Amino acid sequence: MTAAGPVGHDDIDALIMRLRLGTEASELHGSLCGYLAGGGSLRGTSVLAALQLDGEATDPSVADEALLQQLARQCEAELADPELGFEPLLPADDRPLTERAEAMVDWCRGFLGGFGLAGTAAHAQLSEEAQEILRDLGTVAASSFDFGNEAEDEDALIEVQEFIRVAAMLLHTECTAHDPSASGTVH
């Protein structure tokens, strides 16, 4: 068995197929990131239970559960990365533009849903900037795209992806800053 690298889009895609979750890989990643960014905790609960995802395949295998836990740790680490290394998990750049744009919309939809599920007190204290970021993510989540000039469309997609990347990290920082249990204090 090879050493596990970071969980990728294809890994999640395969997991979703195995568990028949009825969601997209990018949406699942977005949901998990939104949940964690919103201050949600996975202590004592599974990823699927926290995100209220039920697959038709009722019991995830030990390997699938481990993959979800690895993905959760990966999301937590990336969202809190001081080097700002977080990236929304989207199809590879060699995939068609329409597929990547739709995945980005799915990711934003998932993020907003997960953020709402986290339901923490921090949400009531969000700054004006954070509230605006949530509104902008909502706009992206409700978007459908018209494609014209491929180079311009590619540039626009990269800009929106960069906004989403930074937005997720800002919301994570703001929501976890209000939550003393999420801070890294040493006892």
Side-chain angles (χ1 to χ4, degrees):
M1 197 163 132
T2 57
V7 180
H9 191 273
D10 292 345
D11 300 321
I12 300 174
D13 218 26
L15 174 84
I16 286 169
M17 297 305 275
R18 284 193 303 274
L19 299 180
R20 298 199 296 261
L21 289 176
T23 185
E24 299 296 326
S26 295
E27 188 169 6
L28 175 64
H29 185 256
S31 298
L32 183 54
C33 290
Y35 183 76
L36 296 169
S41 169
L42 293 170
R43 283 184 201 88
T45 184
S46 75
V47 171
L48 296 180
L51 301 179
Q52 299 177 8
L53 285 172
D54 296 320
E56 289 174 37
T58 48
D59 273 336
S61 67
V62 172
D64 286 342
E65 201 56 64
L67 182 66
L68 286 163
Q69 289 303 322
Q70 181 188 348
L71 179 64
R73 286 190 303 274
Q74 181 179 312
C75 291
E76 281 178 320
E78 289 177 358
L79 283 165
D81 181 6
E83 302 295 312
L84 308 179
F86 172 76
E87 289 289 337
L89 213 51
L90 301 169
D93 290 343
D94 61 0
R95 302 298 303 152
L97 187 68
T98 51
E99 182 184 328
R100 289 181 290 134
E102 284 167 15
M104 189 175 61
V105 169
D106 289 341
W107 192 93
C108 287
R109 242 197 335 264
F111 185 90
L112 292 168
F115 194 83
L117 286 174
T120 65
H123 298 183
Q125 304 162 5
L126 287 176
S127 68
E128 193 54 49
E129 181 188 19
Q131 291 174 28
E132 189 175 326
I133 287 170
L134 283 172
R135 283 192 295 272
D136 290 345
L137 287 171
T139 301
V140 176
S143 296
S144 59
F145 297 98
D146 292 323
F147 297 100
N149 176 322
E150 195 164 332
E152 285 175 19
D153 292 341
E154 188 70 47
D155 289 345
L157 185 67
I158 290 167
E159 271 182 49
V160 177
Q161 275 178 302
E162 181 60 16
F163 164 75
I164 290 167
R165 192 178 83 73
V166 173
M169 288 185 291
L170 282 169
L171 288 166
H172 177 262
T173 301
E174 187 163 319
C175 287
T176 53
H178 290 300
D179 180 0
S181 70
S183 72
T185 51
V186 180
H187 298 284

